[in-house]
Amino acid sequence: MTDLFSDDYASAQDLADPLRELRHEFHIPPHEGHEQAYFCGNSLGLQPRGAREYVEEVLDKWKVEAVEGHFTGSGQWMPYHALVRDGLASTVGAKPIEVVAMNSLTANLHLMLVSFYRPTPARPAILMEAGAFPSDRYALESQVRFHGFDPATDLIEVQPDEPGGTLSMEAIERAIAEHGPRLALVLWPGVQYRTGQAFDSAEITRLGHAAGAIVGFDHAHAAGNLPLRLHDEGADFAVWCHYKYMNAGPGAVAGCFVHERHARTDRPRFAGWWGHEQDSRFRMGPTFVPTPGAEGWQLSNPPVLGLAPLRASLELFECAGMDRLRRKSERLTGYLEALIGSRLAGVLEVVTPNDPARRGAQLSLRVRAGRDAGRSLFEHLAGNGVLGDWREPDVIRISPAPLYNNHADVLRFAREVEAWAAAHGSR
Ligand SMILES: *Cc1c(COP(=O)(O)O)cnc(C)c1O
């Protein structure tokens, strides 16, 4: 029988991995003279080696050309956001006219809500998941109030109905059926940040639209993690950040999708000069004429330094291809799950669904012995160069990112859990 816990097994898997060389395109953080086993790509993706060159290109251009940098040479700043447009579109399964890199995630969510959450007394409500990322809830609740409606009745939160705190498709379907006629908007995550559950975005879109609602997604934990099909699935809008699986650096400029059918919408929007039609933008006229597509929601000229690292990251996504990345991701996360199942099930409970179709890279692992033991395990891991992240009260999230993690990393995690359990008698 194959011993999943052997170095031979892990290294044979890594040797057979067609994407193994991509790891060398990243800076892997060091730990005591070796490489860390870094599993926090769901929180802050690692730095692509090419990022520095793009940032330096901007700094050098600024130094030498100053204001002329807007209009001269490759990488000129005026249309800088367009340099990432095609790569971004292919990574999230959209048409180039449907995507733009701008602002931050929560800011983009508000901009999308301004245009796509148009409550009326008959249809005032937003449907969301209970336990959503706080910023999303704050944004949605504040928008409900902003329009003079009451979050107590008009912000409807679907409660988890499965044991580990995940949500069945039936629960979502029931909620849409129950509240359908009152729904202005369904806002859902592609992947839930705490449980790692991936949702059937195509089905949620279909059900939301059938109920007469607008459907939007927060893909913060899905972009760069799952092969999204934003255009084909037909959601009205989506937002995401670029510092998690997209590896564009802390606070990187975020992403936004507006479906092509809204490219020339006359819905209200909060406008700024960079959303103005490009050819006439610099006539500086008083009347806003939106540029067609997602770029029409831009407010300001792009924060070029913040966008530069995304170019490096997108090149790597382009090179790997989302479908190949996903295949590797399923193998890596499946390996993590198998290692836990074979020897560590007494220590860790996998909260994330075990069906690969219902999860991305991340497994959320509840420490059975409770919070204090969990903290002790977490610190043992970190002290031995295995970095996951901690979610109160007792969950460790481990996200093997297929661009730079490998089977050897995953094996290291499992061995350290086993070593900790042996020392703490909790097997
Ligand atoms: C990471 C994350 C955020 C963070 O929002 P920022 O505006 O980028 O600070 C918001 N929502 C979700 C679902 C996230 O996963």
Side-chain angles (χ1 to χ4, degrees), residues 267-287:
R267 286 171 173 271
R269 74 178 92 196
F270 284 176
W273 75 315
W274 227 253
H276 190 281
E277 188 188 69
Q278 288 178 37
D279 292 345
S280 53
R281 184 188 295 147
F282 282 89
R283 282 188 214 135
M284 305 297 217
T287 309

Side-chain angles (χ1 to χ4, degrees), residues 42 104-107 133 135-136 189 191 193 218 220-221 241 243-244 254:
N42 58 342
S104 59
L105 189 165
T106 308
F133 196 95
S135 198
D136 299 52
V191 174
Y193 81 102
D218 184 331
H221 280 261
C241 56
Y243 48 80
K244 293 172 178 164

Side-chain angles (χ1 to χ4, degrees), residues 22-371:
L22 283 172
R23 177 181 175 90
H24 307 305
E25 300 296 324
F26 288 87
H27 292 286
I28 312 285
H31 175 83
E32 294 175 354
H34 298 278
E35 289 180 339
Q36 207 174 47
Y38 184 83
F39 292 112
C40 294
N42 58 342
S43 181
L44 183 72
L46 293 181
Q47 182 183 141
R49 288 186 180 271
R52 177 176 296 269
E53 194 180 317
Y54 283 119
V55 173
E56 282 181 352
E57 179 192 87
V58 179
L59 289 173
D60 289 344
K61 217 172 165 62
W62 180 22
K63 181 167 101 181
V64 177
E65 301 178 27
V67 72
E68 297 295 326
H70 281 109
F71 326 101
T72 51
S74 67
Q76 50 185 275
W77 305 327
M78 187 94 95
Y80 202 86
H81 61 278
L83 294 173
V84 299
R85 183 171 48 207
D86 291 359
L88 203 49
S90 75
T91 306
V92 298
K95 295 187 175 181
I97 194 176
E98 295 174 319
V99 296
V100 63
M102 61 181 188
N103 312 316
S104 59
L105 189 165
T106 308
N108 288 343
L109 179 56
H110 274 297
L111 290 178
M112 290 294 99
L113 292 170
V114 163
S115 294
F116 293 104
Y117 173 52
R118 305 294 305 157
T120 62
R123 245 185 211 281
I126 300 179
L127 190 79
M128 69 182 296
E129 44 139 6
F133 196 95
S135 198
D136 299 52
R137 198 184 183 287
Y138 304 154
L140 294 171
E141 177 173 342
S142 63
Q143 288 274 344
V144 171
R145 287 188 199 285
F146 175 73
H147 286 281
F149 292 95
D150 181 1
T153 50
D154 300 333
L155 188 60
I156 300 165
E157 296 174 89
V158 186
Q159 296 294 330
D161 63 329
E162 296 177 336
T166 50
L167 265 151
S168 69
M169 192 63 221
E170 292 71 40
I172 302 170
E173 199 168 345
R174 271 197 305 275
I176 293 177
E178 181 186 345
H179 301 285
R182 293 188 68 249
L183 291 181
L185 171 72
V186 175
L187 194 282
W188 215 260
V191 174
Q192 218 282 347
Y193 81 102
R194 184 185 288 275
T195 63
Q197 176 180 10
F199 292 98
D200 185 343
S201 48
E203 185 62 4
I204 291 170
T205 304
R206 194 186 66 74
L207 292 168
H209 282 164
I214 288 280
V215 178
F217 285 92
D218 184 331
H219 279 318
H221 280 261
N225 180 12
L226 295 173
L228 301 174
R229 313 255 178 259
L230 281 172
H231 176 80
D232 291 346
E233 292 183 3
D236 296 281
F237 70 88
V239 293
W240 60 91
C241 56
H242 285 134
Y243 48 80
K244 293 172 178 164
Y245 293 99
M246 296 294 296
N247 311 313
V253 178
C256 187
F257 162 90
V258 178
H259 197 276
E260 192 180 29
R261 67 177 169 277
H262 300 300
R264 292 178 172 76
T265 183
D266 54 10
R267 286 171 173 271
R269 74 178 92 196
F270 284 176
W273 75 315
W274 227 253
H276 190 281
E277 188 188 69
Q278 288 178 37
D279 292 345
S280 53
R281 184 188 295 147
F282 282 89
R283 282 188 214 135
M284 305 297 217
T287 309
F288 177 75
V289 181
T291 202
E295 289 183 2
W297 274 266
Q298 292 177 106
L299 299 178
S300 304
N301 72 99
V304 173
L305 280 166
L307 265 175
L310 182 58
R311 297 176 67 187
S313 175
L314 286 173
E315 284 170 7
L316 300 176
F317 276 100
E318 200 74 9
C319 170
M322 275 315 296
D323 289 327
R324 282 207 301 174
L325 270 178
R326 174 62 174 159
R327 281 197 291 279
K328 174 172 177 186
S329 177
E330 286 181 0
R331 276 199 295 275
L332 272 183
T333 300
Y335 182 50
L336 173 60
E337 183 181 42
L339 289 174
I340 294 167
S342 78
R343 289 202 210 163
L344 308 171
V347 185
L348 299 171
E349 176 199 357
V350 180
V351 168
T352 309
N354 57 18
D355 176 0
R358 295 182 69 209
R359 69 187 185 205
Q362 168 186 330
L363 290 189
S364 301
L365 307 169
R366 199 178 67 77
V367 183
R368 292 187 191 274
R371 186 186 184 279

